[in-house]
Amino acid sequence: MRSAAALTGFASLTLALLPISGATAAPKTAASSCTTPSASARTMSAGVHRRDKNDVSPAQAAALDRELKALLAHRSPISIQATHQIPVYFHVIRTGKGKKGDLSRKRIAQQIAVMNKAYGGSKTGFSFALKGSDWTTNSKWFNAPDTYEKTIKTKLHKGSAGTLNIYTAALSDGLLGWSTFPWQYKSKPTMDGVVIHYSTIPGGSLTHYNLGQSATHETGHWLGLYHTFEGGCDAPGDYVSDTPAESSPAFKCPTGRDSCTASGKDPIHNFMDYSYDSCMTQFTAGQGTRMQKEWAAYRG
Ligand SMILES: [Zn+2]
């Protein structure tokens, strides 16, 4: 994700899974011992930390900020009270009906409800409406969705820039999910969407990460948010002014953590940190505004 390609294309998303590096380094965990695609979520849950592929470098973030400002320069002011109901297509990849990876309609509905509570409760202006679900039995896709990402999405993706496509499968290397960013839609529309580890859906087997907040987090990226630890303690960090800077991801739920000298304790309860699902409770008003701006620039 450090190459210029991340600004405009998806080369970064089709590369082998990259370690998170630099100021946003995530520690290698026990999860690294379950790198084989067939490792079960139950095996992984013992030492897994939240991790995805959505870090950007400070230089990329600065370039993207210039692009966003340019795109909005001649637009009316963005209303943070704007409401958008986002249509969602849910694509379940499984090894068979009733087998690993399979998800019921009830659990999919529970996932959407979790997202609606997360986004609605904090007045971001976004809500989600399930428009359709499909189930694909394919063990190769299920066990290596990163390898087959282009094939999967070419086959299953639906809708346009304002349509959220969520794919579930067994992610390897301790990843709980990943997402495309709004600015990537133009060059690779079919690749747009969120990929989630199936065991993170409410009722899943991934201890501490099975309340559905991985989808909330990845959808935050899909709406243009960075991690709260983006850029470490250095401004402008995540380009949101009301999320205090933090030096690195917060894991588990470290109440009181204060890793930077700037004012404000670390935003460990924010959906865009790396803490436990049960620890994640908020988006800030600033994040709501940023998502609305990103929507206006790239998805509206
Ligand atoms: Zn993330």
Side-chain angles (χ1 to χ4, degrees):
M1 296 292 285
R2 304 188 82 79
S3 70
L7 289 176
T8 54
F10 279 78
S12 58
L13 294 176
T14 54
L15 291 171
L17 306 182
L18 296 173
I20 298 169
S21 57
T24 55
K28 283 288 182 183
T29 71
S32 62
S33 66
C34 60
T35 53
T36 57
S38 59
S40 73
R42 192 170 300 281
T43 306
M44 292 170 64
S45 63
V48 72
H49 284 324
R50 185 181 302 284
R51 188 166 86 83
D52 66 16
K53 300 196 281 185
N54 284 84
D55 290 296
V56 296
S57 71
Q60 288 170 353
L64 286 162
D65 193 56
R66 288 192 294 273
E67 180 178 290
L68 178 65
K69 284 175 176 155
L71 283 168
L72 297 177
H74 302 294
R75 303 279 287 268
S76 305
I78 305 302
S79 169
I80 60 170
Q81 280 81 35
T83 57
H84 305 285
Q85 189 183 68
I86 299 173
V88 181
Y89 286 95
F90 213 99
H91 310 289
V92 178
I93 317 292
R94 62 184 183 186
T95 57
K97 185 173 170 58
K99 295 185 176 174
K100 194 184 283 186
D102 203 9
L103 296 174
S104 65
R105 291 183 186 278
K106 181 181 177 183
R107 288 182 64 200
I108 293 170
Q110 288 171 337
Q111 178 61 78
I112 301 296
V114 166
M115 292 165 63
N116 274 322
K117 186 176 181 190
Y119 283 82
S122 49
K123 309 277 192 300
T124 63
F126 292 98
S127 64
F128 304 90
L130 186 65
K131 292 297 179 191
S133 305
D134 50 68
W135 288 260
T136 302
T137 297
N138 187 317
S139 293
K140 283 186 178 175
W141 290 8
F142 175 75
N143 284 311
D146 49 316
T147 302
Y148 296 99
E149 183 174 12
K150 188 174 182 185
T151 306
I152 292 168
K153 289 180 169 178
T154 300
K155 177 92 173 174
L156 299 178
H157 180 271
K158 288 189 169 75
S160 56
T163 308
L164 176 59
N165 284 261
I166 299 178
Y167 303 81
T168 60
L171 313 192
S172 58
D173 284 353
L175 288 165
L176 301 191
W178 68 81
S179 175
T180 58
F181 284 112
W183 48 88
Q184 296 171 309
Y185 181 84
K186 191 175 179 181
S187 62
K188 299 277 184 181
T190 306
M191 295 297 282
D192 191 56
V194 164
V195 183
I196 303 290
H197 196 302
Y198 76 100
S199 293
T200 69
I201 304 301
S205 61
L206 205 52
T207 306
H208 301 305
Y209 305 102
N210 55 3
L211 301 179
Q213 303 303 10
S214 289
T216 301
H217 174 108
E218 297 306 330
T219 300
H221 291 311
W222 186 80
L223 287 166
L225 295 183
Y226 296 129
H227 292 132
T228 49
F229 49 86
E230 194 69 58
C233 295
D234 299 332
D238 63 355
Y239 287 81
V240 173
S241 60
D242 59 359
T243 52
E246 60 182 339
S247 63
S248 60
F251 297 108
K252 300 182 180 179
C253 195
T255 304
R257 185 181 191 250
D258 192 2
S259 60
C260 296
T261 53
S263 66
K265 289 185 177 171
D266 294 2
I268 65 160
H269 297 297
N270 197 280
F271 289 115
M272 300 314 293
D273 207 340
Y274 268 0
S275 39
Y276 284 162
D277 274 16
S278 59
C279 190
M280 293 182 154
T281 57
Q282 62 183 211
F283 286 118
T284 66
Q287 285 175 315
T289 301
R290 178 172 172 84
M291 287 189 275
Q292 291 287 349
K293 286 181 176 177
E294 293 280 340
W295 184 269
Y298 298 107
R299 296 199 184 278

